[in-house]
Amino acid sequence: MVAGTRAVVSFGAHSGPWWPSPVPLRHGGVTAEQLRARGNALFQAGDHGAALAAYTEALSLSDAASERAVLHRNRAACYLKLEDYTKAEADATKAIEADGRDVKALFRRSQALQQLGRLDQAVSDLQRCVSLEPRNKAFQEALRALGSSMHEKMKAMSCTDSKVEQMFQILLDLDEKDADKKQKAAQNLIVLAREEAGAEKIFQSDGVRLLMQLLDTAKADLMLAALRTLVGLCSGHRSRTAAILAELGAPRLAAVLGVEHEQVSLAACNLLHVMFDSLKEGLQKDFRGKEDAVVLDSSRDLKLLIKHLLELLVLEGASAHGRDNALNLLIKVVPRKSPKETNNSLSLWVIDQGLKKILEVGSTVCSSLGSLPVTENTRMSTSVLLSKLYEDLKCDAERENFHHLCEDYVRSWFEGHELPGKLRAIQTVSCLLQGPSDAGNRVLELEGIMESVLSLCASVSEAHQLVAVEALIHAADKAKRASFITANGVNLLKEIYKHSERDSIRIRALVGLCKLGSAGGTDFSMKQFAEGSTMKLAKQCRKWLCNEAIDAGTRRWAVEGLAYLTFDADVKEEFVEDKAAMQAMFHLAKSEDRSVLYAVASTLVNCTNSYDHEEPDPQMLELAKYAKQHIPEQHPKDKPEFVKRRVRKLLTAGVVSALACMVKSENPALTNSCRELISRLFLALVEEAEDRGGVVAQGGGKALIPLSLEGTEVGQTKAAQALAKITITSNPEMAFPGERIYEVVRPLVSLLHLQRTGLENFEGLMALTNLAGISERLRQKILKERAVPMIEGYMFEEHELIRLAATECMCNMAMSKEVQEMFLAEGSDRLKLMVLYSGEEDEKLRRAASGTLAMLTALHPPICKRIPQVTVHWLEILQALLLSPSAELQHRGAVVVMNMMAAAREVAEQLIASEMLEILSVLAKDKDKPRVAQAAQESLAHAVAYGLIKPNPGHA
């Protein structure tokens, strides 16, 4: 049988850079390497204590990170044997920190975690082992055993109330000093709550009241256990969520969200998110039965929770990260997920009840008297929330109300509050300009605002200058504002930049100048400043970026400056040559200050030229020249060879790991626009086939999946195309290990939509061809995503490469029973098309189509009887295949004929009555083509068996 045609897969062995071996350290005549060898021998002999001592001594002599990782891994093995599981976990973790793909360390840590009772973490490590070595039966068996063990434990615990009561007794016993025992009890409670039976058991056993007692202890570990258990109780269960909310009370939950302990606040945020999802489900689904009897009004509960979140925003006693978590929650749960949802009443209610509170956070001036505690991310989160609310409005009347509320708030501070009030007003303007810029620009037009901004830029107070200069920078985003500021503020910014003694002020003034200097974008002919000025500004930005003595919040502004200056190709070239600047920017991208994400992504998009740019029509250019209109010019250093070199330098510097880290961020700063920029970047990074393996190895493949499923349509498409490129030239099972490979299907199918470009269609088809050839489960996933009708559609495409890719994809899909049945459907021309394509002049198309026929006739014999009915040309097409000079086409044709001969006597009669008998007789003797000869011989054998021909005595 002919195997299904697959897109070319090439993933040769990749040889990395060669490094000289490190010189071993010596101590008292013994090296670390010798001590490790001694430890290995002692371990093999069963003397685990002595082996541990040898490894520990070797650690004291070794400086090489890789050597130390191995020693930590070996010590973990010793501690496991010595039953010191806490230390075993600690050593294995150190080894994993050095190399996250160290399966031995992961396996040992999973063993230690299992003994410590932290079963979910143990499962996580084992799953990682299986994903790294999917064929390792030991890992598979261990995971299966642990899963079975967890299931049995949960089943045993849920059998009686006593187990639940026992866990609560241990946790609430103030005299219990055994920390491990308490930790096990907490972990077991969390695991139990994840199963529906266990969650219901806890709920029915007065568990909510007991969990409330754990929250009231104010001890972080007990509060975390309670919150994580409550997550299990609330997940996907509307009535239980409503009952828990009624018992705990929204004020208590909001108070826990606002605590100083960061992990507790985050856990509370997760619980509230789960509660919101469960309650919102009740609004979207038509429930029947007991749940409706229990929960009468989910919207009332939702609004109650949101009301307390809004109050938390302006509560002075709330922690800064608690305030951030509240903002993040509001961003996730208030606006509609899709414009297709018609009900935006929740956003309208929040605007009516809480817009002033949100603006209160956005107007906070840090370090001013009585200001709310905030983090470096708070302002950005506030801007994102305001933007989401504004985008959720459906009509001009709703938007006009939003504008009036913002204007009234700004006026309330600007008028009658003297300088502190003016600062709050200007800070609000900055916040709005970063979010719903239409609202920000409206407020900026209020009388006296812009004049106050320019006036405060010259203030002697650093805090006042910071507020004013930042507002000026954000105001420069709009063209009409930029021209106003160019006329009124450029000289002021230059004075601040040249003469201010504070780097924090100078760097912001520099960004303002950068913005104004880049107003021409990538148009080489439109430069705002004198020759060389842009390069000087960029050099200063890089200098500040690399200066670790300056705080990260201030250095972020250096990246903002580069985001504008890198429109200039000379600046791009210098930036990618500055390794220290690139590393400093990547380090900032991974830091806690997530507000830098957009600036980092913008800078990198500029460096890789991955923004949209259309080639101008030559005729239109000539007309523009004739009319003496401005014609954009490309910088000589933005030509493809320069871009390719810059991409390679960024890859070498480690840009992929920085981008992967950025994508992991749950922060609102990772906006849909930011996600789109990152998607554009990844597409540029995988443009060259030889770079794709490195991108995958550094986490690029994993990062692309969420980018392809969420964000702007352009961003999702770019990410999907990058996934397609990786899937085409890499082994998909290695690029997307474990379950991840199934997540790739939907993005690839999205590339088949009619609004996508021909290249995107082609690459989507090629990638799906590779996936369809791997397993039946993947073919079923492709079927489930309704891709087959789209694949069929492209089989009629005029473009020969797209038509070929669709046919090859259908060939591999034909291994599925459901697809085989489609070829026999009444009124379908699918089979006819395949037969006709087998007779086309395009050899590649003939190969794909005849391969599909060979597959179909082998796997689904009824198709053999249908072939003579679909076209009168079927015999001459099959004969042409057998007579083809191509051995591959001959083999495919011979297999089709063999399968048809075997399927039914009447079909065999039609074949033998033609010239096919003579062709088969010749091919059966062809020793140069053994596969073709064998198929021909089997065809003749079937004819003999039917009594259609007599056996040849020479071949008896």
Side-chain angles (χ1 to χ4, degrees):
M1 189 182 75
V2 176
T5 306
R6 289 188 63 184
V8 178
V9 177
S10 64
F11 49 102
H14 173 73
S15 58
W18 178 84
W19 302 105
S21 299
V23 178
L25 292 170
R26 294 183 176 274
H27 178 71
V30 181
T31 66
E33 192 174 332
Q34 289 170 334
L35 284 166
R36 190 180 78 174
R38 184 189 299 172
N40 292 346
L42 289 166
F43 187 91
Q44 291 295 327
D47 194 346
H48 304 121
L52 177 63
Y55 293 141
T56 302
E57 188 178 353
L59 264 174
S60 68
L61 301 179
S62 180
D63 288 332
S66 58
E67 178 70 15
R68 292 181 66 81
V70 172
L71 291 166
H72 281 299
R73 185 178 73 198
N74 290 355
R75 288 209 320 175
C78 295
Y79 282 128
L80 283 172
K81 293 292 185 182
L82 297 169
E83 298 184 9
D84 192 341
Y85 303 115
T86 303
K87 289 182 179 177
E89 184 220 353
D91 264 302
T93 298
K94 286 177 182 175
I96 293 163
E97 285 170 356
D99 180 8
R101 300 173 68 85
D102 188 337
V103 288
K104 288 185 179 179
L106 283 162
F107 185 68
R108 286 167 192 171
R109 187 169 72 175
S110 76
Q111 291 176 298
L113 289 167
Q114 189 173 354
Q115 294 298 327
L116 291 169
R118 288 146 65 185
L119 303 183
D120 59 335
Q121 291 171 273
V123 166
S124 177
D125 278 353
L126 271 176
Q127 286 172 336
R128 176 72 173 146
C129 289
V130 171
S131 73
L132 290 169
E133 291 188 12
R135 295 182 181 177
N136 190 314
K137 292 186 177 178
F139 293 159
Q140 293 173 357
E141 190 57 38
L143 183 59
R144 198 176 297 114
L146 182 54
S148 175
S149 171
M150 286 178 70
H151 181 74
E152 288 300 317
K153 284 188 177 182
M154 287 186 288
K155 187 177 176 182
M157 284 191 291
S158 61
C159 288
T160 62
D161 295 339
S162 61
K163 288 288 183 183
V164 175
E165 291 170 9
Q166 185 181 359
M167 283 183 266
F168 277 115
Q169 283 174 2
I170 293 169
L171 291 169
L172 291 167
D173 186 358
L174 298 176
D175 297 324
E176 179 61 69
K177 303 299 182 187
D178 189 337
D180 284 345
K181 191 175 180 182
K182 282 201 169 191
Q183 188 182 44
K184 278 187 179 181
Q187 192 62 38
N188 289 339
L189 198 63
I190 295 165
V191 171
L192 184 62
R194 287 176 184 162
E195 292 288 326
E196 175 54 31
E200 190 60 26
K201 180 64 65 179
I202 294 170
F203 183 73
Q204 297 295 343
S205 304
D206 197 24
V208 179
R209 183 183 62 81
L210 296 170
L211 289 168
M212 194 157 52
Q213 288 182 32
L214 289 178
L215 286 175
D216 290 342
T217 61
K219 292 183 177 179
D221 55 341
L222 297 180
M223 292 177 79
L224 285 169
L227 292 165
R228 289 167 182 167
T229 303
L230 285 165
V231 166
L233 268 59
C234 294
S235 292
H237 204 292
R238 188 165 61 107
S239 61
R240 207 156 54 210
T241 300
I244 289 169
L245 178 59
E247 189 160 351
L248 290 179
R252 184 195 299 269
L253 290 168
V256 176
L257 184 67
V259 299
E260 286 293 341
H261 195 285
E262 199 165 343
Q263 288 299 315
V264 171
S265 177
L266 198 60
C269 179
N270 186 36
L271 169 61
L272 284 165
H273 194 190
V274 168
M275 294 179 87
F276 272 114
D277 285 347
S278 297
L279 291 171
K280 283 184 106 172
E281 193 177 70
L283 297 178
Q284 295 163 0
K285 292 187 179 179
D286 183 19
F287 281 90
R288 296 280 186 269
K290 66 175 184 178
E291 285 226 355
D292 272 337
V294 177
V295 183
L296 298 174
D297 188 6
S298 289
S299 64
R300 182 179 59 80
D301 289 332
L302 280 169
K303 286 181 178 178
L304 180 65
L305 278 174
I306 291 171
K307 175 177 174 286
H308 285 283
L309 287 178
L310 291 169
E311 288 175 358
L312 178 69
L313 293 180
V314 293
L315 188 67
E316 289 185 11
S319 66
H321 46 258
R323 190 166 283 104
D324 280 0
N325 287 333
L327 287 166
N328 295 353
L329 262 175
L330 290 167
I331 290 166
K332 290 174 182 174
V333 304
V334 174
R336 291 171 294 166
K337 298 290 183 189
S338 164
K340 293 177 183 177
E341 296 175 33
T342 56
N343 186 0
N344 70 338
S345 60
L346 205 54
S347 288
L348 294 175
W349 184 82
V350 168
I351 290 168
D352 183 50
Q353 299 292 316
L355 185 59
K356 183 179 177 183
K357 294 182 176 69
I358 298 167
L359 291 172
E360 198 79 8
V361 180
S363 69
T364 297
V365 178
C366 296
S367 72
S368 64
L369 190 64
S371 63
L372 295 169
V374 292
T375 71
E376 61 271 14
N377 294 311
T378 305
R379 176 102 56 81
M380 178 60 74
S381 297
T382 308
S383 295
V384 172
L385 175 57
L386 290 166
S387 184
K388 292 276 188 184
L389 291 171
Y390 188 76
E391 289 168 6
D392 208 33
L393 301 178
K394 296 193 292 184
C395 63
D396 289 342
E398 291 174 359
R399 284 184 278 273
E400 200 59 36
N401 177 57
F402 188 96
H403 289 310
H404 283 314
L405 289 171
C406 291
E407 288 167 7
D408 289 346
Y409 180 81
V410 170
R411 279 199 201 95
S412 71
W413 279 111
F414 193 73
E415 298 169 0
H417 282 82
E418 298 182 345
L419 185 57
K422 286 181 169 56
L423 288 169
R424 291 290 293 268
I426 293 169
Q427 192 81 306
T428 308
V429 173
S430 282
C431 187
L432 287 167
L433 285 167
Q434 284 181 280
S437 57
D438 287 347
N441 280 296
R442 277 274 294 261
V443 172
L444 205 58
E445 300 293 336
L446 293 176
E447 187 179 350
I449 296 288
M450 199 68 215
E451 290 76 9
S452 293
V453 170
L454 291 172
S455 172
L456 284 168
C457 280
S459 171
V460 293
S461 165
E462 180 179 8
H464 299 172
Q465 260 192 320
L466 282 174
V467 172
V469 173
E470 285 187 22
L472 198 61
I473 292 167
H474 298 310
D477 269 341
K478 294 292 179 182
K480 63 176 183 178
R481 280 287 143 212
S483 59
F484 173 84
I485 295 165
T486 302
N488 297 277
V490 168
N491 289 332
L492 180 59
L493 288 171
K494 285 182 178 178
E495 285 299 308
I496 293 171
Y497 173 61
K498 288 177 182 176
H499 300 115
S500 176
E501 296 178 0
R502 307 181 186 100
D503 280 343
S504 59
I505 300 293
R506 291 186 68 216
I507 200 168
R508 285 164 172 80
L510 177 83
V511 172
L513 292 170
C514 292
K515 259 194 179 184
L516 297 167
S518 63
T522 57
D523 186 351
F524 181 49
S525 64
M526 288 185 66
K527 295 301 167 190
Q528 303 292 310
F529 294 150
E531 188 71 31
S533 296
T534 304
M535 297 295 287
K536 288 177 183 176
L537 292 174
K539 186 176 181 181
Q540 186 59 56
C541 278
R542 297 201 312 272
K543 182 180 174 183
W544 270 322
L545 178 60
C546 297
N547 187 352
E548 294 186 5
I550 301 174
D551 66 278
T554 301
R555 286 163 63 212
R556 167 177 74 84
W557 286 95
V559 185
E560 293 273 357
L562 287 169
Y564 291 98
L565 293 172
T566 45
F567 282 124
D568 187 315
D570 287 317
V571 174
K572 302 176 196 182
E573 287 293 315
E574 280 205 356
F575 178 72
V576 297
E577 293 297 335
D578 191 337
K579 293 180 182 178
M582 285 193 289
Q583 291 300 329
M585 189 171 77
F586 296 160
H587 184 73
L588 273 181
K590 299 175 185 178
S591 69
E592 290 297 316
D593 183 358
R594 312 308 283 175
S595 58
V596 76
L597 296 184
Y598 192 84
V600 171
S602 297
T603 304
L604 294 171
V605 163
N606 291 341
C607 287
T608 56
N609 285 30
S610 44
Y611 37 71
D612 287 330
H613 47 86
E614 294 182 10
E615 291 295 326
D617 186 324
Q619 289 184 331
M620 295 304 292
L621 279 178
E622 289 302 317
L623 284 172
K625 287 177 184 176
Y626 180 76
K628 296 183 179 179
Q629 291 182 352
H630 172 70
I631 301 169
E633 293 179 23
Q634 185 188 48
H635 196 292
K637 291 181 181 177
D638 270 335
K639 290 180 179 177
E641 59 269 25
F642 285 92
V643 175
K644 184 176 178 181
R645 193 158 56 240
R646 289 200 294 265
V647 167
R648 193 59 55 82
K649 287 183 181 294
L650 286 168
L651 284 167
T652 304
V655 67
V656 175
S657 61
L659 293 177
C661 188
M662 289 163 70
V663 173
K664 287 178 188 174
S665 171
E666 287 292 324
N667 195 281
L670 189 66
T671 60
N672 286 343
S673 299
C674 187
R675 298 171 77 91
E676 181 183 318
L677 291 178
I678 298 172
S679 297
R680 289 177 180 277
L681 264 167
F682 270 122
L683 185 56
L685 295 174
V686 299
E687 184 61 35
E688 300 297 324
E690 61 265 31
D691 295 331
R692 294 170 193 169
V695 170
V696 170
Q698 294 177 57
K702 182 180 179 181
L704 277 165
I705 294 173
L707 289 172
S708 66
L709 297 172
E710 185 181 345
T712 65
E713 186 175 356
V714 171
Q716 290 182 60
T717 303
K718 300 286 184 189
Q721 193 180 359
L723 285 171
K725 287 179 183 290
I726 291 169
T727 309
I728 290 167
T729 56
S730 307
N731 179 348
E733 291 175 289
M734 293 178 68
F736 310 105
E739 293 297 304
R740 200 174 298 155
I741 194 171
Y742 303 99
E743 297 177 49
V744 177
V745 173
R746 181 172 296 173
L748 295 181
V749 172
S750 74
L751 294 176
L752 305 188
H753 294 160
L754 290 174
Q755 64 267 37
R756 304 289 178 253
T757 66
L759 178 61
E760 289 163 355
N761 297 155
F762 174 70
E763 291 182 332
L765 288 165
M766 292 279 284
L768 287 169
T769 301
N770 262 4
L771 293 184
I774 291 173
S775 70
E776 179 59 23
R777 188 179 167 195
L778 274 167
R779 289 189 287 276
Q780 288 298 321
K781 178 69 175 171
I782 295 170
L783 279 164
K784 189 178 178 182
E785 294 295 335
R786 300 176 184 174
V788 171
M790 289 186 275
I791 296 168
E792 283 182 323
Y794 287 112
M795 289 175 66
F796 293 93
E797 176 67 40
E798 288 184 16
H799 195 292
E800 59 184 29
L801 287 177
I802 295 178
R803 186 169 66 241
L804 171 63
T807 308
E808 289 182 337
C809 192
M810 186 58 74
C811 178
N812 280 357
M813 287 301 297
M815 288 187 273
S816 279
K817 190 75 173 174
E818 290 92 329
V819 177
Q820 294 159 21
E821 294 291 347
M822 289 179 187
F823 280 85
L824 290 175
E826 287 297 324
S828 166
D829 285 333
R830 295 182 181 96
L831 187 58
K832 179 180 179 179
L833 184 66
M834 281 298 175
V835 175
L836 292 174
Y837 275 0
S838 297
E840 283 284 309
E841 291 182 8
D842 183 342
E843 185 175 322
K844 289 181 179 177
L845 182 61
R846 288 180 76 192
R847 196 159 59 227
S850 57
T852 307
L853 286 179
M855 184 87 65
L856 290 168
T857 53
L859 297 174
H860 205 54
I863 285 175
C864 298
K865 297 180 184 179
R866 183 67 68 85
I867 288 176
Q869 301 168 20
V870 295
T871 174
V872 295
H873 302 291
W874 70 279
L875 260 175
E876 61 185 87
I877 289 170
L878 290 179
Q879 289 170 4
L881 285 173
L882 291 174
L883 295 172
S884 168
S886 165
E888 283 192 65
L889 287 176
Q890 275 192 312
H891 182 231
R892 282 164 166 73
V895 170
V896 174
V897 171
M898 178 186 72
N899 293 334
M900 291 178 71
M901 292 283 288
R905 178 187 170 88
E906 60 268 28
V907 177
E909 282 179 340
Q910 290 177 274
L911 289 164
I912 294 301
S914 70
E915 295 174 359
M916 189 68 74
L917 175 59
E918 186 180 345
I919 296 169
L920 290 172
S921 299
V922 173
L923 292 177
K925 300 171 185 175
D926 193 340
K927 294 179 181 179
D928 294 330
K929 299 171 183 173
R931 293 194 305 164
V932 175
Q934 185 181 352
Q937 288 164 14
E938 289 189 31
S939 295
L940 294 171
H942 286 302
V944 171
Y946 291 135
L948 300 175
I949 61 173
K950 292 181 180 179
N952 187 335
H955 293 278

